[in-house]
Amino acid sequence: MEIEKPTATGAVAAVEKRIFLIINCIILAIGNCGGPLIMRLYFLHGGKRVWFSSWLETAGWPVILIPLIVSYTRRRKADPEARLILMKPRLCLAAAVIGILTGFDDYLYAYGVAKLPVSTSALIIASQLAFTAVFAYFLVKQKFTAYSVNAVVLLTVGAAVLGLHTSGDRPKGESNKEYLMGFFMTVAAAVVYGLVLPVVEYTYKKAKQAVTYTLVMEIQLVMCFFATLVCTVGMIINKDFQAISGEAEGFGLGVAKYYIVVGWSAVIWQGFFLGAIGVIFYSSSLLSGILIAVMLPATELLAVIFYHEKFQAEKGVSLFLSLWGFISYFLGEIKTSRKEKMKQKTEAQLAHQTATAEP
């Protein structure tokens, strides 16, 4: 399988790759911080539909059609016989399966956000990095170092710390049972999405066709379509479609703002998913998980500022452990990268010496 990066001349320049990676990191960061905040806004002002909220996480998939149309138009100009769809049936099936898994993960996450403060759910989701690392080890042979193991342990312990004190930030009118249910559903969401990221990377590796960024967008579109389909079934069973107009009427911020919140929720979440698979394409599933974890402080701060959420000692400890875990992993990656470069340089020098020594 050949992975092709966007190029102008056929060979990928390191600078160009870095630029596209940074762009996807920014898109992921906006989605990662904005998604849970706008979702929580929906629940805080009267929104009660968990399936509808989870549906919004991937319902913005038609947005991806815009860059796909642009890409096709450019390919068509260069080659009149260019294919409309690059994805082969085998890859489409794999993306559909991942999409179905993502749909159920959306529900788990939306349930957690409905019951927990954003600052709490964000800290729990940070433990996703541990699960991503484990699944990446088995699926894509991601190498573990002392630094990455340390990061995994710290992030796992950081999430566990929150479980030691479950009553301090429980929203008013919510039972301890509901809070605990939200806690464990969010942990489950972290586990499932920790699996999804390496599975996407594994899909790229086993695609048996050249993987370009256009193909990545096609995969994202299929994934989100099937995830939305799963949530649509849930909405139909739960009769959410019939309840939307009534819920809008009783929304605390007004009818117009209800639809604004709903619309922007779909767009922002689409940015999250598109950014996540873009980072996987240009780097790895583990880096995608790391970036989701590193945006934790920003999400925490915004939740405390906008929603006046409590920030107890347990959250402080968990935040400290999560940041420590990220820094540990980041330093390990730098060290590993330097070793790899030195190894390649040494091998190149030996190859050159061998070539010049031959008669």
Side-chain angles (χ1 to χ4, degrees):
M1 185 277 297
E2 178 188 358
I3 296 183
E4 297 179 358
K5 314 298 184 185
T7 66
T9 60
V12 182
V15 174
E16 185 184 39
K17 178 183 175 182
R18 225 173 268 125
I19 290 172
F20 279 102
L21 178 59
I22 290 171
I23 291 172
N24 279 277
C25 287
I26 292 171
I27 294 172
L28 174 58
I30 294 172
N32 192 47
C33 289
L37 288 170
I38 199 166
M39 180 182 282
R40 185 61 182 165
L41 182 67
Y42 164 79
F43 287 114
L44 283 174
H45 292 280
K48 298 183 185 300
R49 299 287 164 173
V50 177
W51 273 115
F52 178 47
S53 187
S54 59
W55 183 83
L56 290 171
E57 291 182 56
T58 51
W61 62 265
V63 172
I64 305 175
L65 290 171
I66 299 173
L68 282 176
I69 291 170
V70 172
S71 176
Y72 173 70
T73 303
R74 292 176 64 183
R75 295 201 317 272
R76 189 76 174 176
K77 286 181 178 178
D79 178 12
E81 297 181 1
R83 293 173 57 189
L84 175 62
I85 300 172
L86 299 178
M87 188 165 39
K88 293 179 180 178
R90 182 173 176 272
L91 189 56
C92 183
L93 178 62
V97 173
I98 298 171
I100 291 170
L101 188 63
T102 301
F104 287 109
D105 182 63
D106 289 345
Y107 177 78
L108 293 171
Y109 180 73
Y111 189 98
V113 172
K115 303 298 179 182
L116 303 177
V118 173
S119 52
T120 302
S121 61
L123 282 166
I124 298 171
I125 286 296
S127 66
Q128 165 194 303
L129 176 60
F131 303 112
T132 300
V134 172
F135 290 125
Y137 173 77
F138 289 106
L139 289 173
V140 293
K141 309 303 179 186
Q142 179 75 45
K143 293 181 180 179
F144 271 109
T145 64
Y147 293 96
S148 58
V149 170
N150 186 50
V152 167
V153 172
L154 288 169
L155 285 162
T156 304
V157 172
V161 166
L162 292 175
L164 300 176
H165 188 72
T166 59
S167 61
D169 67 342
R170 190 170 69 238
K172 292 181 180 179
E174 188 173 292
S175 68
N176 192 50
K177 181 180 178 181
E178 288 178 316
Y179 184 93
L180 284 172
M181 192 66 178
F183 183 91
F184 289 115
M185 291 285 263
T186 307
V187 171
V191 174
V192 175
Y193 202 64
L195 171 63
V196 167
L197 293 177
V199 168
V200 170
E201 185 175 359
Y202 180 81
T203 302
Y204 291 166
K205 291 181 180 294
K206 299 295 182 179
K208 292 185 178 179
Q209 66 178 105
V211 179
T212 62
Y213 193 67
T214 298
L215 182 62
V216 167
M217 287 191 292
E218 289 182 4
I219 293 171
Q220 171 67 7
L221 188 146
V222 173
M223 283 170 54
C224 286
F225 174 80
F226 278 92
T228 305
L229 191 62
V230 169
C231 296
T232 299
V233 173
M235 286 183 67
I236 292 171
I237 294 172
N238 203 43
K239 298 182 179 178
D240 283 5
F241 286 107
Q242 297 93 315
I244 290 175
S245 59
E247 189 173 74
E249 291 291 337
F251 195 63
L253 299 177
V255 177
K257 288 185 178 179
Y258 174 85
Y259 290 108
I260 291 174
V261 168
V262 164
W264 274 107
S265 182
V267 173
I268 292 173
W269 276 118
Q270 195 56 225
F272 168 80
F273 286 110
L274 189 58
I277 67 164
V279 171
I280 293 172
F281 174 66
Y282 286 107
S283 184
S284 69
S285 58
L286 200 51
L287 177 61
S288 188
I290 284 289
L291 288 171
I292 292 170
V294 80
M295 292 312 298
L296 171 65
T299 306
E300 287 280 325
L301 182 62
L302 291 170
V304 171
I305 292 173
F306 292 115
Y307 300 148
H308 308 292
E309 294 182 355
K310 296 177 183 178
F311 196 84
Q312 303 96 324
E314 290 81 3
K315 289 185 182 179
V317 172
S318 183
L319 179 60
F320 171 74
L321 291 172
S322 297
L323 289 175
W324 183 8
F326 166 73
I327 293 170
S328 174
Y329 177 82
F330 187 68
L331 291 175
E333 284 296 292
I334 293 175
K335 191 173 182 179
T336 302
S337 178
R338 286 176 178 173
K339 282 184 178 180
E340 190 65 30
K341 286 180 180 178
M342 287 297 294
K343 183 181 176 181
Q344 291 175 356
K345 186 177 180 181
T346 302
E347 289 176 351
Q349 289 175 343
L350 288 171
H352 178 70
Q353 289 172 2
T354 302
T356 53
E358 291 178 356

